[in-house]
Amino acid sequence: MKITILILVFTILTPLFIFSQPKGFLKVKNKQSVAQKISSASNKIKTIQSSFKQYKHLDILSNDIISEGKFSFKTSNLLRWQYIKPYDYLILMNGSNMWINDGKKTKKYDTGSNKMFKEINDLMLGLLQGDILKSKNFNLQLFENKKYILAELIPKSPEMKEFLSSINIYFDKLDYSVSKVKMSEHSGDYTKIEFFNKKNNISISDSKFSIK
Amino acid sequence: MNFLLFLKPRLYVFVIVIGLTSSCITSKLKTTEFKLNNDISDNYFDINNKAYIFKSNIRLYKNEFSGIFVVKPCSNNSYRTVFLNELGMKFFDIEISQDNYYIHKIFESLDRKSIIKLFVNDFRVLLYNNVDKRNSKKYKNKKGNLFIIKPNKNKELYYIDKEDELLVRIEQYSPFRKIRTIKFQEFNNKFPEKISMYIVIILRNFYVKKLHS
C-alpha cells in the first residue's frame, strides 16, 4: 500500500519538477562558482553602451508591441535609458535623481521619496550590473545551456510581486554579461529586452546622465 | 513586426486630463435641418477590428502618467482596455461592456472604487459612442460648422462635423454642469489618430495622493 502511494506521489510530482526547469536548460550544479564568475565579470565593467529591442507580449494581442532604443550605463548608479522607436522617451537615473522626458517636457523625480521609482531604479541598475543576483528581495535559481547562464529570480517583496512573477536574466557565457532579460507577469504577459551592439568600458561623459 | 507597422502606419495619441474646475451648463440649442450624405456612422472602435494602440498621457489631478494605451475589442461585444508604461509595467487591464466591467489587473494605488468608476465611465463614453445621426434631432452650433445631436434619453451631446459627417466631440452633462469632454482629432481614413478626454471631477474628496507611492 505504502509503495503504491509513493509511486502515485512520484508520478504526480515528477512532471512538476520537469516543468519548473526552463526548456533547453539544465540546473547549474556549482551555483556558487557560477554566481562568483558573473559577479567578478560585472565588477570589471565600469561602463556599458548598448542598443536594445523591447518586446511587450500581451496575450490579447496577436503581435508583440516592439520598441527600440539605446542605453548608457556608468558605475555605480548612472543610467541613460532612451527609447527612439516608436517614439522618443528618455529615462535618466543619477543617484537618487530620476528625469523623464516624454519627447515634450522633462520631469524630475526623487527616487528617495518615491517607492515605485526606487524599485524601478534598483531593478534596472541591478539587472544591467548583474548585482540583482545578490539581492535578498528575490529567490534565485541558476540554469545553463551551451550559450547562456539563466538566472531565474522570483520576487519576495509585495511591491515587486504586484507587477512581476519572475525575472529571467540570460548571461552570455562568453563574457558573463547580460544578453537578454524577460520579466513575466502572473497573467502570462511578459516584457522581453534583448541587448545588442554592446560596448564595455568605453569612455562616457557624466554629462550624459543629467538634464540641466 | 515593428510597432509602427502594426499601427498602420501612424501612432495614435490618447490623452486623458482630469481636473477640478467646473464648466458651463448646457446652453439652449437651436434646431437645424441637415441632410446626411453618408449612412449612419459606425463606432470608431470597430468590434471586429484587431486592436487599437495609442501613445497615451493620463493626468490625474497632479499626477501624470505616460505610456501605451491598448483597446482590444472582444468577441462578447466588450473591450479590453490596458494601460502600460514605456517599460512595460501594467497599470490596469479592465474589460468593459455596456452594462458591466471586470478588472483583470489594476495597480494597487489605483485600486479605488472612485478611480475605477471614473475609468469605466470614461471608456464607456469613448467606446460605445454609437449615435443615430440620421434619425436624431439635430441642432446648430454657433459657428455653423458642426451640428449637434442630443439623443433623448442620454446626457451626452454629440458634435458632428458638417463637411465629412464625422463625430468630433462628445460632451457629457450632469443636471448642472459639463462633466466630461472627449475630442476626436487628426483624422486619417476617417479614424481619429488623436483623442483627448477631459473629465471634471465634482467630488472634492477625490483621492489620488498615493498614485506614485
Side-chain angles (χ1 to χ4, degrees), chain B:
Chain B
M1 194 176 186
N2 191 291
F3 182 23
L4 281 174
L5 290 174
F6 183 57
L7 294 181
K8 289 182 194 176
R10 284 194 216 167
L11 189 70
Y12 306 145
V13 178
F14 184 79
V15 183
I16 300 179
V17 179
I18 298 175
L20 281 168
T21 50
S22 62
S23 183
C24 60
I25 301 166
T26 318
S27 56
K28 284 184 181 177
L29 297 167
K30 291 176 184 174
T31 54
T32 183
E33 285 296 319
F34 188 81
K35 284 180 185 173
L36 287 158
N37 295 317
N38 299 324
D39 286 337
I40 298 158
S41 167
D42 290 326
N43 185 346
Y44 290 131
F45 295 92
D46 184 356
I47 205 82
N48 298 313
N49 210 320
K50 281 182 182 174
Y52 300 87
I53 302 172
F54 297 85
K55 178 184 188 294
S56 175
N57 279 80
I58 297 180
R59 202 159 74 223
L60 261 171
Y61 192 30
K62 283 181 181 175
N63 300 285
E64 201 167 341
F65 306 88
S66 78
I68 291 163
F69 180 59
V70 178
V71 176
K72 165 73 182 167
C74 301
S75 54
N76 55 353
N77 205 26
S78 66
Y79 293 90
R80 285 281 283 272
T81 55
V82 184
F83 182 73
L84 318 157
N85 72 359
E86 277 74 8
L87 296 165
M89 294 163 84
K90 201 184 284 171
F91 281 83
F92 63 75
D93 177 353
I94 307 174
E95 187 168 349
I96 293 170
S97 66
Q98 259 172 320
D99 46 18
N100 213 343
Y101 69 89
Y102 179 78
I103 309 284
H104 288 273
K105 157 91 191 169
I106 192 153
F107 182 47
E108 195 189 359
S109 300
L110 294 171
D111 192 5
R112 294 167 200 285
K113 269 187 181 176
S114 54
I115 296 178
I116 293 169
K117 196 180 162 190
L118 202 72
F119 282 141
V120 169
N121 288 340
D122 293 347
F123 299 146
R124 249 183 215 143
V125 178
L126 176 74
L127 298 169
Y128 294 97
N129 56 32
N130 281 317
V131 54
D132 187 351
K133 289 185 201 171
R134 191 170 291 277
N135 299 315
S136 301
K137 204 171 186 181
K138 297 166 194 69
Y139 300 89
K140 281 179 193 172
N141 74 328
K142 280 179 187 171
K143 281 185 185 173
N145 59 336
L146 303 171
F147 67 84
I148 304 162
I149 292 176
K150 187 178 180 296
N152 291 335
K153 289 177 187 175
N154 292 358
K155 296 166 188 169
E156 287 103 25
L157 294 182
Y158 296 86
Y159 289 76
I160 317 286
D161 190 286
K162 274 191 170 178
E163 205 170 297
D164 48 24
E165 296 171 8
L166 291 168
L167 176 66
V168 291
R169 192 161 85 225
I170 303 173
E171 290 175 355
Q172 197 180 40
Y173 290 82
S174 75
F176 308 106
R177 65 180 82 191
K178 186 160 72 182
I179 52 171
R180 185 175 272 108
T181 304
I182 302 176
K183 282 183 184 174
F184 300 97
Q185 293 159 297
E186 297 178 15
F187 287 84
N188 185 21
N189 286 330
K190 297 193 171 184
F191 185 83
E193 297 202 336
K194 185 179 178 183
I195 302 173
S196 318
M197 200 184 279
Y198 183 82
I199 301 108
V200 177
I201 313 281
I202 302 162
L203 297 169
R204 285 282 170 192
N205 60 349
F206 188 70
Y207 186 68
V208 287
K209 196 180 164 190
K210 277 188 78 183
L211 281 179
H212 281 312
S213 63

Side-chain angles (χ1 to χ4, degrees), chain A residues 79 81 83 89 91-93 95 98-100 109 111 114-128 132 138 157 159-160 163-164 167 183, chain B residues 65-66 85-91 107 212-213:
Chain A
L79 176 67
W81 187 267
Y83 292 93
Y89 190 82
I91 303 168
L92 287 181
M93 294 173 184
M98 186 169 173
W99 290 269
I100 291 179
Y109 301 92
T111 57
N114 192 313
K115 212 172 176 181
M116 194 179 91
F117 282 135
K118 171 107 177 52
E119 290 275 351
I120 295 171
N121 187 74
D122 292 352
L123 177 67
M124 291 185 77
L125 290 171
L127 283 173
L128 296 170
I132 201 166
F138 298 92
S157 76
E159 290 84 6
M160 198 56 77
F163 282 106
L164 300 171
I167 302 173
M183 292 175 276
Chain B
F65 306 88
S66 78
N85 72 359
E86 277 74 8
L87 296 165
M89 294 163 84
K90 201 184 284 171
F91 281 83
F107 182 47
H212 281 312
S213 63

Side-chain angles (χ1 to χ4, degrees), chain A residues 99-110:
Chain A
W99 290 269
I100 291 179
N101 181 293
D102 62 3
K104 286 181 182 170
K105 54 186 174 183
T106 306
K107 277 203 161 189
K108 192 179 175 185
Y109 301 92
D110 178 10

Side-chain angles (χ1 to χ4, degrees), chain A residues 5-81:
Chain A
I5 293 168
L6 271 174
I7 290 170
L8 196 69
V9 169
F10 185 75
T11 316
I12 293 166
L13 291 179
T14 304
L16 294 179
F17 287 122
I18 290 169
F19 287 122
S20 66
Q21 195 161 287
K23 203 181 170 186
F25 282 83
L26 291 170
K27 203 161 189 178
V28 164
K29 287 172 189 165
N30 46 349
K31 192 177 165 183
Q32 277 193 328
S33 137
V34 171
Q36 184 56 43
K37 276 181 187 170
I38 294 169
S39 174
S40 60
S42 67
N43 284 342
K44 286 175 194 163
I45 295 172
K46 304 298 171 201
T47 69
I48 310 171
Q49 195 168 283
S50 172
S51 299
F52 67 84
K53 199 165 182 177
Q54 180 179 299
Y55 302 79
K56 180 69 199 180
H57 173 84
L58 295 173
D59 275 346
I60 57 165
L61 297 181
S62 47
N63 298 84
D64 289 348
I65 299 170
I66 299 173
S67 37
E68 292 174 43
K70 51 190 178 179
F71 82 85
S72 304
F73 163 77
K74 194 170 184 178
T75 52
S76 62
N77 54 13
L78 305 178
L79 176 67
R80 181 186 178 93
W81 187 267

